């Protein structure tokens, strides 16, 4: 038997911005006008950016599924930025989607900083090895964290042995 909605019962909403109460809200004491520095940042084609929607500005806002995603800039215009973002679809298909957002809703990504730092370090290591300042063993590949080295622990006196108390 179907329930009637005559008694003013609420139904689940599936609107364009449903479920974004916390997602698009600003942090504590961070409300108000957007800083001018947001508009002075330059974006170039090929750079990585994070799509983070700013709830205070409704123009050029991305859909909620793209909030928090990282993409690459493919187009730069006066009023917006074109970003290619991967979107998971159905059974794990990954579709590259092209979205156009305003600069208020994106920021430079830090996803490549560690990689670029490692590239600089490796170039320096190669240069040092070529000049003969380091040993023969030059390893520039990343390695997982190794176990700690073995060491002896000095006891401060007699060893106290602990054992469980028998249940009575």
């Amino acid at each position: 038997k179907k329930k009637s909605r005559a008694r003013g019962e609420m139904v689940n909403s599936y609107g364009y911005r449903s479920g974004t109460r916390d997602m698009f809200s600003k942090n504590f004491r961070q409300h108000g006008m957007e800083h001018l520095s947001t508009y002075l940042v330059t974006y170039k084609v090929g750079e990585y950016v994070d799509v983070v929607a700013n709830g205070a500005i409704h123009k050029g806002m991305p859909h909620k599924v793209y909030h928090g995603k990282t993409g690459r800039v493919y187009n730069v215009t006066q009023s917006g930025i074109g970003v290619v973002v991967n979107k998971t679809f159905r059974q794990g298909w990954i579709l590259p989607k092209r979205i156009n957002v305003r600069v208020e809703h994106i920021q430079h990504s830090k996803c490549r900083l560690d990689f670029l730092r490692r590239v600089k370090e490796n170039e320096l290591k190669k240069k040092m090895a070529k000049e003969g300042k380091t040993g023969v063993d030059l390893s520039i590949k990343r390695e997982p964290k190794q176990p700690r080295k073995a060491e002896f622990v000095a006891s401060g006196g007699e060893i106290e042995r602990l054992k469980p108390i028998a249940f009575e």
Side-chain angles (χ1 to χ4, degrees):
K1 182 180 173 184
K2 274 189 173 180
K3 271 189 171 181
S4 66
R5 302 266 180 230
R7 286 179 266 147
E9 294 172 357
M10 300 287 286
V11 296
N12 293 339
S13 59
Y14 297 102
Y16 193 76
R17 286 185 62 167
S18 66
T20 61
R21 180 179 186 163
D22 295 327
M23 190 185 296
F24 290 164
S25 67
K26 289 214 158 194
N27 292 335
F28 179 61
R29 293 172 64 183
Q30 298 297 317
H31 303 271
M33 299 248 326
E34 193 60 34
H35 298 287
L36 283 177
S37 59
T38 305
Y39 300 97
L40 298 175
V41 178
T42 56
Y43 295 97
K44 297 177 183 174
V45 174
E47 287 183 335
Y48 284 94
V49 292
D50 294 330
V51 179
V52 181
N54 184 350
I57 293 134
H58 297 162
K59 272 192 167 183
M61 182 185 276
H63 190 265
K64 60 187 175 184
V65 297
Y66 302 110
H67 181 77
K69 298 278 190 285
T70 300
R72 265 188 124 153
V73 176
Y74 79 92
N75 187 25
V76 179
T77 63
Q78 282 186 326
S79 59
I81 308 287
V83 183
V84 179
V85 182
N86 286 336
K87 181 180 178 185
T88 53
F89 176 70
R90 292 197 179 165
Q91 304 96 343
W93 297 342
I94 298 174
L95 303 176
K97 304 284 282 190
R98 290 174 177 252
I99 61 171
N100 295 300
V101 294
R102 286 198 167 212
V103 291
E104 298 97 319
H105 306 292
I106 61 173
Q107 50 195 240
H108 281 292
S109 180
K110 297 179 181 173
C111 64
R112 282 179 62 86
L113 291 182
D114 187 51
F115 169 72
L116 295 173
R117 181 190 55 77
R118 283 192 296 109
V119 167
K120 283 183 183 175
E121 286 179 3
N122 289 345
E123 291 300 321
L124 190 68
K125 284 180 186 176
K126 287 178 188 175
K127 187 178 176 185
M128 296 278 275
K130 207 170 195 180
E131 293 172 1
K133 293 184 179 176
T134 59
V136 183
D137 186 27
L138 175 67
S139 176
I140 56 173
K141 290 189 177 182
R142 288 180 292 169
E143 288 185 5
K145 187 178 177 184
Q146 299 297 316
R148 289 183 295 165
K149 301 284 184 191
E151 57 186 48
F152 290 102
V153 179
S155 64
E158 197 167 324
I159 297 172
E160 181 182 351
R161 299 192 184 273
L162 301 175
K163 62 180 182 179
I165 301 169
F167 180 73
E168 294 176 10

